[in-house]
Each structure stands twice: as structure tokens, then as C-alpha cells.
Amino acid sequence: MKTLTPRLAAALVVAAIFALAASAAESLSVLLQKGIYAEETEGNLDSAIKIYEQIAAESAANRPLAAQAQYRLAVCYQKKGNKEQAISTFNDVLKQFPTDVALGQKAREALAQLGQTPSDDLKIRRVATLDGTPLGVTPDGRFAIYQPLARPMDRSIYEIETGKIWATLKGDPENTVRGVFFSPDGRRTSYRYAGVIYVVGIDGADPKPVYRMDKDTRAMPMGWADDRTMWVNWWSGEKWTYGTVKFVGKLDIETGMLKEIARLRAHENEGRGLGLSPDGRYATLFARPNLTGPAQLWSLALDSGHVHTLVEKEVSEPLGWFGTSLIFTRESDHVQEMWKIAVKDGKPADEPKLVRSDLRTANLCGVTQDGSVYYSERTPNWPKTELWVIEGFLAQRNQPMWVQIPVESVRASDSAIFDPKFGVEATIPSGGAIKSAHQLISSYYGRRRIWLSIPGVATNQIIMSYGPRVADGFPAIARPTSLSTDEIAAQLGENTRRRMAAGQGNSGPDLKFRKDTLVARSIGNNSVFSGVADFTDKGQPWVAFFSEHYSATTWASAVLQVKPTDFDKALPEFRRLSDTIQLR
């Protein structure tokens, strides 16, 4: 008998381990199918729960399998009417498997059906309504700086938590207030006006001129080094021109003395400083090294004056810092993108990474240290502007498609919906209620979704979505009553399949519309298209009610999915809602 060499013995051991692992993975997959059979075919939920629990406990090396078992476990709890365990387990799916986008979307939808907000969901919160345009927020999220509409040369200081306007820094038609930065202790601010750099209390009291420019010097605050000194950039010469030498340095606010740190050509620094890095060692600059070239982001070492390029491709707007990453925007085909670049020792630590690619018309104002993103929107009673925040957005490992908004912003009363942002109104079915409201994060001016409960049916929710009119609406909207049932079915099917499939990685269900239910009509200045369709999802038959509404500027839809046995009870409630939807 031959003795095995050490190398051959080791190879056999490794092969055996892989064989056992493959066998285990296969057996767990078979076990999952047994659980699905027990759940969906036999209706034996207790048996299915035991199987899913076993898989979840034993499949640590197979995360997709474990995720499926955890999700199906939550579904079983929901079917048994064990609401609390279902909610907890659906939230576990979101926490434990954040990279499984399709399964996460299903878990979120299930939680919405249970009237719950996912524990890892973000919230959109309106923080202020201002008579002007927000320009930025401080890194700690305490203050917002805005430009009053009536006097665009002024700058006002708004405290977000209290709603107090601390001061309005006054400019004049020929001199706009610029360079507003807060001292580290939060008690003072800097600004430049009419050739003078001032320091003033945040309440506007006792403005102190700390540097007065002459014909040979121009200067702009860039941020505070400490409570006594500020970083500024300045240039010499009667006329600012490209190629003029520009300086960056420290300004002692007690003595008015400038200390040079670095020299740059004028067009290398456009004066749009981002202030300091979180560690206080670097100033970040919005730069354009070539007169006709793209804008870039640079870092300037404040101890040595050395400059490093952080982002050399086109930069639209710098937003601020989150942790050790610099956040900025780019524009691509008129769509705004949010990007980040990791920075270490003033140099890029990695390639720039895309955060979101579809922000469209969002008016971003800045980011804060906790990862919240601030943006502004015009209100229906313009010129007032609303300041909103997406809380902790950058801190999320996987930014969700939808974020929660306050129900109060879309509810007129317990029985009525009214969203002034889009001019959408409707009557809630008798005994129903708004369960939750969400907004699509890819466009802050875009689609909203309301989850409505209705009484008397097992699947008791209507999903009402709405937003600005887009190009995918009905091509024959101006002549709704002349459309054939085939045209209505084709357009309803295309729109609704796409929306039902969003986030699930498939093309949507095969909808079979009942031709006798397809209707196209006009209600006021709105065109309305509705119908009923049958479809199958995972072997389960369903009936769905669809209603699409269009005005010249706005679109809305209502969808209700029920079991065939609930059809007669659900249809009247759905029609009551659909018939009351009005778009401006």
C-alpha cells in the first residue's frame, strides 16, 4: 500500500472540503424548495417556518440563500397574522442583506402594507420656509445662509432648529455680501462688503472691520483657522484679470495682518473656497487651471502651501465634507450627479465615486457632518422657498429609491388628500386612511407615492403615485374619448407593468385586461384612463385596478391589487377614490 505524500494528502483534504460545501449548499437549496412547497402548495406555514429558520441558521456562507429564507420567514409570519414578528423579520432582511436590492424593495413594500416604515429608511423633512434662496448650510447643520429675494445683495443667517433669523448682513446694489463663514465657537461670522472684511456676532451686533482693501488689494474670506484667524485669498492689482498673481494666507482679525501661505495664478482659484477639511489641515479650492478648461477641486496644505488636485474632471458645484470624503456635483446631459472623493493627507485616496446619477433638477444646498443632504424647492406661492433635508442620506450604505415624507404634507384632513406642491387632491375612501407617504429620491421635484388603507378587503391598500407630466404619458391625451379599448389597454399595460416591476429586476407581470372595464374619459381639464387586469404572481392569481390621470402639467395613478375573492368589495372603494382625483 502506497503512502500518500503530504502534498497529495492536502489536496485530497481540500477537495473533500469543497465537495462537502457543495453538498451542503445543494441540500440547503433543496430544503428551501421544500419550505416553499410547504408554504405555498400545502399551506403548512408552521412547517415552512421551521425550514426557513433552519436555512437562515445554517447558510452563513450562502448569503443569497439566507436572504431568501429570511424574507420568506417574514412572509409566513405575515400570513399567520403575527404582525410584530413579520415587521421585525422584514427589517432584519434590510439590515442583514443591504446589497440585495430586489429583495430589499419587496421587504419595504411588505412593511408599507403593514403600515410600517422600514427601520433603515431615511426621512425627508421640511426645515424652513424662507423668503429667499438658500445658499448653504454649516457643517454642523445649525445654520443656513440664504439670499433674501427682495434684497439679493444681502445675506441672512437662519438657525435651523429654532427657526430664528439671527441677522441679515446688509449689502447695496453695487456691493453684494460675500464670504459668510462661522467661527469655530459659532458666535461670530465673517463677511466681505464694499471692500472691507468684517467680523460680526451672529446676531448682527458690533460689526468690526478687520481688513480694509485699497486699490492694490482685493480679498475674500475662505473660512476660519481658529477663533482669532481666518483663511483668505487675495490678489494685487487695480484690475482682476486672468494671470494675475493670487495669494492664499492667514488674516489675524485682531491686528489685520496678512500672512502669505501660497501663490496661485488668478484663474487657478475662483474664490469659491469650501473652507477647511475636517482635520483643519487643508483648504479646499474650486479651481480652473486653464481659462477654457474644466473646473477642478484642489486641496491646499495650510502648513506648506503645497497644492494637490483632488478631482480633475468637470465639477459643477462643491457641496462639502462627509467624513474624509469631499462631496461634489457634476452635470451630465442636464442631469445632476452627486459624487464623492476620499481624501487622505490632502491627496486623493481613491478614484471619485458616483453617489447618485439621477438628481435632475434638485437644488442642492450642502451636506453636513452626519451625512444629511439639504436642498431647496420653490413653493406654489413663490417667491417663498422651502428648505428640506434628507436625514443621514450619505451615511446609508445603499441609498434607497424612496424616502419618507411627513403625511401632513399631503393630507388636507382625515378624509382628504391635498398636495400643494403638485396641486393634486382626492377624497380618501370611507373608513380608509393615509398609511405613509414617500418621495422618489432620484428627483426632488419628482414623483411622490401615498399608501392608502381601505376597509373590507384582505389586501387593503391603494398605491397612489403622482408627479410632473413626463414624455411617457398617453400620446393621445388630448382626445381620450376617441381611443379604442386596445389602445387604452396597450398604454395602461406599458405604464403599469413598468411601475410594478420597479426595483424587482424583472419586466413586470403579464397583465390581461378585461376589455369591458377599459374606459377613457375627461373630468374637467383632466384626461382619465382606467381598467381592470388579471395576472399571476408566483402562482397566485390577482386582480388589479388601474386609473391614470393627466393634466397639462401633472400625472397621477392609483393602483389596487387584490385577490379575486375581494374583487366585488374592493371595486366600489377604488372607484370612489379614482373619481375624486383632481390635477391642476
Side-chain angles (χ1 to χ4, degrees), residues 214-450:
D214 55 32
K215 66 177 183 178
D216 294 324
T217 309
R218 299 291 183 271
M220 179 71 70
M222 294 175 57
W224 291 65
D226 51 48
D227 289 329
R228 179 182 170 128
T229 54
M230 285 189 297
W231 297 108
V232 298
N233 59 47
W234 75 94
W235 60 96
S236 298
E238 293 187 15
K239 186 176 181 181
W240 185 95
T241 59
Y242 286 100
T244 304
V245 174
K246 205 165 190 181
F247 306 88
V248 175
K250 273 185 175 181
L251 170 64
D252 187 312
I253 63 175
E254 298 297 330
T255 66
M257 296 296 294
L258 281 171
K259 179 182 178 181
E260 179 183 331
I261 297 294
R263 296 189 180 194
L264 307 168
R265 287 175 297 163
H267 62 274
E268 289 182 336
N269 178 5
E270 296 191 342
R272 296 162 67 180
L274 283 176
L276 304 181
S277 60
D279 60 12
R281 298 167 55 201
Y282 302 90
T284 45
L285 308 174
F286 186 87
R288 195 178 299 275
N290 298 305
L291 184 57
T292 59
Q296 300 181 351
L297 287 177
W298 290 2
S299 73
L300 170 68
L302 297 173
D303 56 352
S304 65
H306 292 162
V307 173
H308 295 284
T309 301
L310 298 177
V311 182
E312 59 183 354
K313 293 185 178 179
E314 185 66 53
V315 175
S316 298
E317 289 290 337
L319 294 177
W321 288 85
F322 172 60
T324 59
S325 292
L326 187 59
I327 311 300
F328 63 96
T329 61
R330 286 174 171 163
E331 187 171 303
S332 176
D333 295 327
H334 306 292
V335 174
Q336 195 173 198
E337 300 175 340
M338 183 185 291
W339 288 73
K340 66 180 180 180
I341 176 73
V343 181
K344 183 177 181 181
D345 296 330
K347 302 176 184 178
D350 202 349
E351 293 295 317
K353 295 187 183 301
L354 181 66
V355 179
R356 282 206 77 92
S357 62
D358 49 1
L359 294 175
R360 300 195 182 277
T361 54
N363 181 23
L364 299 175
C365 301
V367 300
T368 54
Q369 294 161 344
D370 66 353
S372 296
V373 175
Y374 285 78
Y375 67 96
S376 65
E377 291 182 345
R378 290 186 176 186
T379 65
N381 59 337
W382 171 254
K384 289 187 179 295
T385 303
E386 292 178 344
L387 179 65
W388 291 75
V389 59
I390 310 176
E391 296 178 340
F393 175 69
L394 292 169
Q396 282 285 72
R397 293 176 61 186
N398 297 285
Q399 284 77 25
M401 291 178 60
W402 298 88
V403 291
Q404 186 182 16
I405 61 175
V407 169
E408 290 72 21
S409 65
V410 298
R411 182 172 61 192
S413 67
D414 289 341
S415 60
I417 295 167
F418 176 62
D419 188 337
K421 177 178 177 181
F422 294 105
V424 175
E425 57 184 283
T427 300
I428 299 172
S430 178
I434 297 178
K435 298 171 68 175
S436 63
H438 293 75
Q439 184 163 300
L440 186 67
I441 202 169
S442 63
S443 173
Y444 303 133
Y445 292 97
R447 190 153 47 111
R448 285 184 169 180
R449 176 179 288 177
I450 298 174

Side-chain angles (χ1 to χ4, degrees), residues 46-292:
D46 290 333
S47 177
I49 286 173
K50 290 180 181 179
I51 293 173
Y52 296 146
E53 286 177 337
Q54 179 184 345
I55 296 171
E58 297 180 5
S59 59
N62 191 331
R63 289 184 61 78
L65 199 65
Q68 287 289 337
Q70 191 82 344
Y71 172 77
R72 288 190 167 275
L73 181 61
V75 171
C76 286
Y77 288 140
Q78 184 180 16
K79 289 179 178 179
K80 284 175 67 70
N82 195 332
K83 182 177 178 180
E84 295 305 319
Q85 274 191 284
I87 291 170
S88 176
T89 310
F90 279 127
N91 276 315
D92 285 343
V93 172
L94 296 173
K95 293 175 184 176
Q96 296 175 22
F97 309 100
T99 59
D100 196 323
V101 177
L103 208 59
Q105 181 69 13
K106 291 181 180 180
R108 285 187 166 81
E109 291 175 355
L111 285 165
Q113 291 177 17
L114 293 166
Q116 296 292 311
T117 299
S119 60
D120 72 336
D121 262 6
L122 300 173
K123 293 183 179 180
I124 292 183
R125 179 169 56 90
R126 181 175 55 200
V127 297
T129 300
L130 304 171
D131 291 311
T133 303
L135 300 176
V137 295
T138 54
D140 59 4
R142 182 182 175 190
F143 297 110
I145 308 299
Y146 73 93
Q147 174 184 328
L149 185 72
R151 289 180 55 85
M153 71 292 296
D154 296 351
R155 296 293 183 266
S156 293
I157 300 172
Y158 179 88
E159 189 168 29
I160 292 173
E161 183 176 349
T162 66
K164 178 179 178 179
I165 298 176
W166 277 88
T168 296
L169 309 174
K170 297 293 185 180
D172 61 53
E174 295 184 359
N175 296 282
T176 298
V177 171
R178 304 183 188 277
V180 180
F181 292 94
F182 291 87
S183 61
D185 61 13
R187 297 166 56 190
R188 294 174 295 173
T189 185
S190 65
Y191 68 98
R192 192 192 82 170
Y193 162 69
V196 180
I197 293 179
Y198 291 89
V199 170
V200 64
I202 61 170
D203 58 358
D206 302 322
K208 175 186 176 181
V210 296
Y211 187 82
R212 193 176 300 275
M213 302 165 220
D214 55 32
K215 66 177 183 178
D216 294 324
T217 309
R218 299 291 183 271
M220 179 71 70
M222 294 175 57
W224 291 65
D226 51 48
D227 289 329
R228 179 182 170 128
T229 54
M230 285 189 297
W231 297 108
V232 298
N233 59 47
W234 75 94
W235 60 96
S236 298
E238 293 187 15
K239 186 176 181 181
W240 185 95
T241 59
Y242 286 100
T244 304
V245 174
K246 205 165 190 181
F247 306 88
V248 175
K250 273 185 175 181
L251 170 64
D252 187 312
I253 63 175
E254 298 297 330
T255 66
M257 296 296 294
L258 281 171
K259 179 182 178 181
E260 179 183 331
I261 297 294
R263 296 189 180 194
L264 307 168
R265 287 175 297 163
H267 62 274
E268 289 182 336
N269 178 5
E270 296 191 342
R272 296 162 67 180
L274 283 176
L276 304 181
S277 60
D279 60 12
R281 298 167 55 201
Y282 302 90
T284 45
L285 308 174
F286 186 87
R288 195 178 299 275
N290 298 305
L291 184 57
T292 59

